[in-house]
Amino acid sequence: MAVARHGIHRTRWLKLQAFRYIVFALAAIYFLIPLGAMVEFSTRANDGSRTLVFWRQIFDYQEMIGLPIDTPTGIIASLELAVITSLAMLVLLVPTMVWVRLKLPRVNRIMEFISLLPLTIPAIVLVVGLFPMYIWLGTNVNDSILTLAFAYIVLVLPYAYRALDAGLGAIDVKTLSEAARSLGARWDQVMLMVIAPNISNAILNATLLSVALVLGEYTVANNLLYNNLQVELVHLGRTNAGVSIAVAVASLMFAFVLLVILAFVGSRPRRIHKEEPATMLASQSITSI
Amino acid sequence: MTTAGSPAVATNVGRPRLGGRRFSLDWVGTVPFFAYVGLFLVLPTAIIALGAFFDANNSFTLDNFAHLSRSYVVAATVTTTEVSAITALLGAMLGALLAYAIATGNPDGVLRRMLVSASGVLAQFGGVTLAFAFIASIGPAGFVYLFFQAHGFDFYAKNLWLFDTPGLVVVYLYFQIPLMVLVFLPALDGVKPQWREATQSLGGSTWHYWRYVAGPLLFPAFLGGVLLLFANAFSAYATANALINQGAPVLAQQISNGLSSEVGAVEPGFSKALAVEMVVIVTLVTVLYSLLQRRTARWL
């Protein structure tokens, strides 16, 4: 009897393992081939031989999309936007979140609701409302591509908020800042020298997510008629597919390195790793899609 | 300001302090944040919500919504709904299978950690780069296509479906499946092995277990996943626009066209009405999703 039951278990176990590895193999084919194909495509010359010529043109593709050779490419603009957006996001969010936790706990709910709101508003919809604002901004203030940062801060808000919220939830903000204040620290010192070092992981998480999002952003830039990296990639794809895919792979690798850093940093604290990245990303990914 | 300090309060010692706090200036610290989101999140939303009801001369009108019945808007809505529904259903089924394959493995294993992290990244992986990845692989110059063509199977023999709506389905699945893995895995983790043992000890087969125990318990989570995936695909723009540059078959592309073409100048409210249409549909689906999530949470 016991042997028979063991046998049933064993066959079911074998079936299950067979099922699992078939599924994994099929998933690997579907998910890895397109990625590998980009590398293959961007290193293939017209006659089918291997070449790195497309990769060498990554930083000077302006001519190919009809821009004067000395104009900075969208790569530069996107990198600048990533830096500005991340910094502005931190300056806007961290002090406010700390302040709300210390002095206005009731506002916490409202702030969370508002911060997560952009997840439910598709980027293409937000752009419709931003369009007249950017026309006004462009004629009356400044029409630099860097003004996109205003919109990008809104796009990164939910991701940054959740990352920072997790960090602040893990430390005792009240005790730390009261201790610092009673020792004579000013509020800016509390923020920069007490709170910030204690949530450095969360700050890094929020920053990396923001950078990854800004570098991949297409919808807002394209519809507000600015040429960031992704918009130029689409133009480039229509004139020189090889270079466009080389640039795409390069930007993907850059984002991937950022995400690997994120995964490493994210798994270090005591929090259970399998919860953290999943819950953080298990949301509508409207902004980048 | 300090009217709270009226005699009536004297009965309670704690009240004056409370009242004092209520009128303190602590809220000033939140002004920058709320001013910012007011300006760049609430204001654009208000511009859409109000602007949809006005024409180019700033007089009230419902024409913008009447224009939603234009044939190309209806066609785009139908196409978007179809693509979203197909990718949501397929993505949910395939994602559930993948999630099950992950959930039945070692919960602390390296494989699971890797696959969950990969799902997190891939669920976010969309837009231009994703479209390029498929063009580079199964596009007319991609090595997969060239390989099949060389071996006598030309899957573009009839038409170049990659740059049409069938292409959207194939490409969208790339982020839909991982998203389903992320939302469905917690539900699968909530399934207790004891339930299966209980079914067995009561004489139930594997079929009974799935039909009467695990199936009904997981169904709300599955349906919730379908809805989330639907909303996700419905509002996608970048991927579609990078892949398809003719005809704007997707609603998001129609919004974009309504914004930047001449139509935008003549009928500024039209793109806003389109945006309202999209928000209404996405919000409905998302609300249903969160209701189902709550129902799932009761058991799993």
Side-chain angles (χ1 to χ4, degrees), chain A residues 12 20 24 30-31 37 44 99 122 125 127-128 133 150 218-219 222-223 230 233 238 252 273 284-285 288-289, chain B residues 26 36 39 48 101 104-105 113 123-125 128 132 137 141 170 173-174 200 231 236-238 241 245 255-256:
Chain A
R12 194 205 279 158
R20 291 183 64 214
F24 289 147
Y30 178 69
F31 287 105
R44 190 202 317 154
W99 188 256
V125 168
V127 138
V128 175
M133 292 172 66
F150 288 124
Y218 171 77
T219 305
N222 189 45
N223 284 291
Q230 302 290 330
L233 269 181
R238 282 160 199 172
L252 200 62
H273 51 259
Q284 288 179 311
S285 45
S288 63
I289 294 164
Chain B
D26 286 347
Y36 190 87
L39 206 53
I48 298 166
T104 46
R113 278 183 65 184
Q124 297 284 309
F125 181 55
V128 181
F132 280 10
S137 51
V170 175
L173 282 178
Y174 199 85
Q200 272 183 329
Y237 167 76
N241 207 48
N245 53 35
I255 296 179
S256 168

Side-chain angles (χ1 to χ4, degrees), chain B residues 44-100:
Chain B
T45 316
I47 288 176
I48 298 166
L50 295 176
F53 293 96
F54 288 91
D55 63 13
N57 306 317
N58 287 328
S59 50
F60 180 84
T61 178
L62 285 173
D63 285 356
N64 297 319
F65 289 101
H67 291 157
L68 292 180
S69 64
R70 283 172 179 166
S71 61
Y72 58 91
V73 179
V74 175
T77 309
V78 170
T79 306
T80 315
T81 310
E82 280 172 0
V83 168
S84 308
I86 294 171
T87 61
L89 277 173
L90 272 177
M93 288 192 273
L94 298 172
L97 279 182
L98 187 55
Y100 183 70

Side-chain angles (χ1 to χ4, degrees), chain A residues 149-176:
Chain A
F150 288 124
Y152 286 176
I153 292 170
V154 171
L155 294 187
V156 303
L157 196 60
Y159 304 94
Y161 179 86
R162 271 191 270 182
L164 293 171
D165 189 51
L168 286 171
I171 63 168
D172 190 345
V173 179
K174 195 147 200 149
T175 312
L176 279 174

Side-chain angles (χ1 to χ4, degrees), chain A residues 137-266:
Chain A
L137 210 62
T139 46
N140 294 304
V141 186
N142 195 322
D143 67 346
S144 158
I145 186 171
L146 299 181
T147 54
L148 276 180
F150 288 124
Y152 286 176
I153 292 170
V154 171
L155 294 187
V156 303
L157 196 60
Y159 304 94
Y161 179 86
R162 271 191 270 182
L164 293 171
D165 189 51
L168 286 171
I171 63 168
D172 190 345
V173 179
K174 195 147 200 149
T175 312
L176 279 174
S177 49
E178 274 169 8
R181 289 287 287 168
S182 70
L183 291 169
R186 294 186 313 271
W187 275 115
D188 57 312
Q189 287 175 315
V190 174
M191 290 292 169
L192 285 174
M193 297 165 76
V194 179
I195 303 287
N198 273 296
I199 57 163
S200 56
N201 273 354
I203 288 179
L204 191 63
N205 276 0
T207 310
L208 292 176
L209 284 171
S210 307
V211 170
L213 196 143
V214 171
L215 291 184
E217 210 290 319
Y218 171 77
T219 305
V220 173
N222 189 45
N223 284 291
L224 296 180
L225 311 176
Y226 287 111
N227 283 345
N228 72 356
L229 169 62
Q230 302 290 330
V231 176
E232 285 189 354
L233 269 181
V234 174
H235 292 314
L236 192 57
R238 282 160 199 172
T239 53
N240 189 326
V243 181
S244 74
I245 289 178
V247 178
V249 176
S251 71
L252 200 62
M253 283 171 163
F254 187 72
F256 183 73
V257 169
L258 290 180
L259 286 165
V260 168
I261 298 173
L262 174 88
F264 266 91
V265 174

